[in-house]
Amino acid sequence: MHRAALDGLSLMVETGEMLAITGPSGSGKSTAMYALAGLIGLEAGRVEIAGRRPEGRADWTRLRAGPIGLVFQEDWLLPTLSAAQNVAMPMVGGRRRARDRLIRAEALLAEVGLAGMGARAPAGLSGGERQRVAIARALANDPSILLADEPTGELDRDNSRQIVRLLSELSARAGVTMVIVTHDPEVAAACTRQVRLVDGRIEGGP
Ligand SMILES: Nc1ncnc2c1ncn2[C@@H]1O[C@H](COP(=O)(O)OP(=O)(O)OP(=O)(O)O)[C@@H](O)[C@H]1O
Ligand SMILES: [Mg+2]
């Protein structure tokens, strides 16, 4: 018998909300993020976005290419591309021309504190710098939903605060809905609401 990674999880995220998910290692936080992004199937239960249940792979792929931005717990940068090319990657297939994609990528890198570092290869960046490249990449297509798994896990206090400020501003200014997994109480406190996962469900939840 296996134990389900998520079990009885019920979570409603309001538009424009910045929700922090905390909880012990192995409690299902990353699994919940994968489920919210349609990257894993569920044995039971469902995910609805804006009142609609995405249907099938193509639908989820379309969502992840547009309205859903994703920051994984590991950065998953493509090692053979520069930082700017990594950030520009989700824009391929969109309306912007190659040159404009790179200009926007550099601007996003500047927003996460990496101005002028676009030409660097991921291997030439620190863990925290790679993490910030991954955040910039997640913002490439102006997502209306941002799912971020430990987006500041590799960052020092100052850089973590800068990222939290950027995310808070996006949430407040552009109404981006955010779900942020974090172990950092300061990051969680900067969110508009916090829930704690324990054994695959919300602690104290229904
Ligand atoms: N691919 C997998 N196959 C089987 N079990 C898995 C798999 N991925 C995760 N699990 C299990 O599911 C549970 C939840 O894992 P998950 O990665 O969601 O935890 P987490 O809360 O993100 O932990 P952490 O804080 O360490 O990142 C754990 O018991 C884990 O061992
Ligand atoms: Mg995890």
Side-chain angles (χ1 to χ4, degrees):
M1 255 281 286
H2 73 288
R3 187 180 71 83
L6 302 176
D7 186 7
L9 173 63
S10 171
L11 182 62
M12 165 89 93
V13 188
E14 301 286 342
T15 303
E17 188 173 35
M18 197 171 168
L19 176 75
I21 300 184
T22 63
S25 180
S27 59
K29 304 182 298 297
S30 292
T31 307
M33 296 299 250
Y34 288 137
L36 287 175
L39 289 167
I40 52 169
L42 298 173
E43 283 172 31
R46 66 182 192 278
V47 174
E48 280 182 18
I49 295 173
R52 193 176 71 82
R53 190 176 172 177
E55 296 287 349
R57 273 217 212 167
D59 204 6
W60 276 114
T61 303
R62 189 187 53 75
L63 286 168
R64 287 192 301 268
I68 297 182
L70 270 172
V71 182
F72 294 97
Q73 194 163 12
E74 301 84 14
D75 57 62
W76 296 115
L77 299 180
L78 293 170
T80 55
L81 298 184
S82 70
Q85 286 170 330
N86 267 284
V87 175
M89 195 66 178
M91 293 183 252
V92 173
R95 279 168 300 131
R96 287 188 185 84
R97 293 192 309 194
R99 196 183 137 72
D100 294 335
R101 293 199 292 265
L102 283 177
I103 290 171
R104 175 165 168 76
E106 294 285 358
L108 287 164
L109 286 171
E111 287 213 59
V112 297
L114 298 176
M117 291 173 77
R120 298 264 203 106
L125 296 170
S126 74
E129 288 164 348
R130 282 199 298 274
Q131 190 159 51
R132 285 181 283 159
V133 175
I135 294 168
R137 179 181 57 185
L139 300 175
N141 286 330
D142 283 320
S144 50
I145 298 171
L146 182 73
L147 306 174
D149 198 347
E150 294 279 3
T152 62
E154 302 279 331
L155 301 183
D156 55 54
R157 186 55 62 215
D158 281 354
N159 278 307
S160 172
R161 284 184 179 152
Q162 188 195 346
I163 292 300
V164 167
R165 262 201 308 276
L166 171 69
L167 297 182
S168 301
E169 194 194 296
L170 273 173
S171 163
R173 176 166 50 82
V176 178
T177 305
M178 297 193 192
V179 182
I180 300 173
V181 170
T182 184
H183 278 107
D184 183 341
E186 190 177 312
V187 174
C191 293
T192 55
R193 183 162 69 101
Q194 300 183 32
V195 296
R196 190 174 140 84
L197 273 194
V198 177
D199 293 336
R201 66 169 69 204
I202 306 286
E203 189 177 56

